[in-house]
Amino acid sequence: MTKKKTPGSISPAVAAGRSVAVRSDMAGVRRARLGSARMGDNDRKRANPPAPGEPNVAVITKTKPQTKRPNLYRVLILNDDYTPMEFVVHVLERFFGKDHEAATRIMLHVHHHGMGECGIYTYEVAETKVTQVMDFARKHQHPLQCVMEKK
């Protein structure tokens, strides 16, 4: 005659500290000593699932992402034979925030060397500056060219 188990009862083999076969849905049949310190976290969770209504708690570690510096782009004004020097100075003051002296110095550099750097910006800002300058020049009927290049 076999003894009928009631929920929560312990078998004589477990009470004696011997190894018994424990069936788990995910792991199949496994040998484990109930109450043993060797039992892993996953085994404990399967052996002692949380009671209904009790929160299931897990620890999640956050890793701080490494941020990369954005690529920078040089905004350049190109020399031409038709755009007035005063207009170039005005563009440098208006769109690049240069004072009159710095704008004049850049304009003369463009005039003598064929191109001059107006500033260094991230891609989006550089693209916006180039578009603003080109639109402003077209609006005033000047062939001024403004480009950007990766630094």
Side-chain angles (χ1 to χ4, degrees):
M1 181 170 169
T2 60
K3 186 176 178 184
K4 199 174 197 182
K5 282 192 175 183
T6 59
S9 66
I10 301 173
S11 72
V14 172
R18 291 187 302 226
S19 295
V20 295
V22 177
R23 180 170 274 291
S24 171
D25 291 339
M26 299 191 60
V29 177
R30 149 185 343 219
R31 306 287 291 168
R33 185 183 300 254
L34 295 179
S36 169
R38 292 183 187 178
M39 197 181 264
D41 285 341
N42 289 334
D43 294 332
R44 278 192 212 100
K45 287 177 188 171
R46 285 188 208 110
N48 300 323
E54 189 176 310
N56 205 358
V57 180
V59 177
I60 300 172
T61 59
K62 278 189 174 181
T63 57
K64 191 173 182 181
Q66 294 292 330
T67 54
K68 190 176 119 179
R69 288 190 174 271
N71 292 326
L72 296 177
Y73 292 81
R74 298 170 56 198
V75 177
L76 306 169
I77 287 187
L78 306 179
N79 189 33
D80 65 76
D81 294 335
Y82 303 102
T83 305
M85 293 180 176
E86 295 80 23
F87 183 79
V88 176
V89 170
H90 178 70
V91 164
L92 290 166
E93 290 172 344
R94 179 172 178 168
F95 296 107
F96 298 98
K98 305 293 183 188
D99 59 43
H100 191 73
E101 262 184 54
T104 304
R105 199 171 336 124
I106 293 170
M107 178 272 301
L108 288 173
H109 187 273
V110 170
H111 182 68
H112 293 293
H113 296 95
M115 76 169 73
E117 184 178 287
C118 304
I120 300 172
Y121 306 97
T122 59
Y123 181 82
E124 292 82 10
V125 175
E127 187 177 40
T128 302
K129 299 268 185 196
V130 168
T131 304
Q132 288 174 335
V133 170
M134 296 291 286
D135 290 346
F136 190 69
R138 297 296 159 263
K139 182 179 173 186
H140 290 88
Q141 300 176 346
H142 295 296
L144 183 66
Q145 293 293 306
C146 187
V147 297
M148 59 188 251
E149 70 175 24
K150 194 170 184 177
K151 185 171 180 186

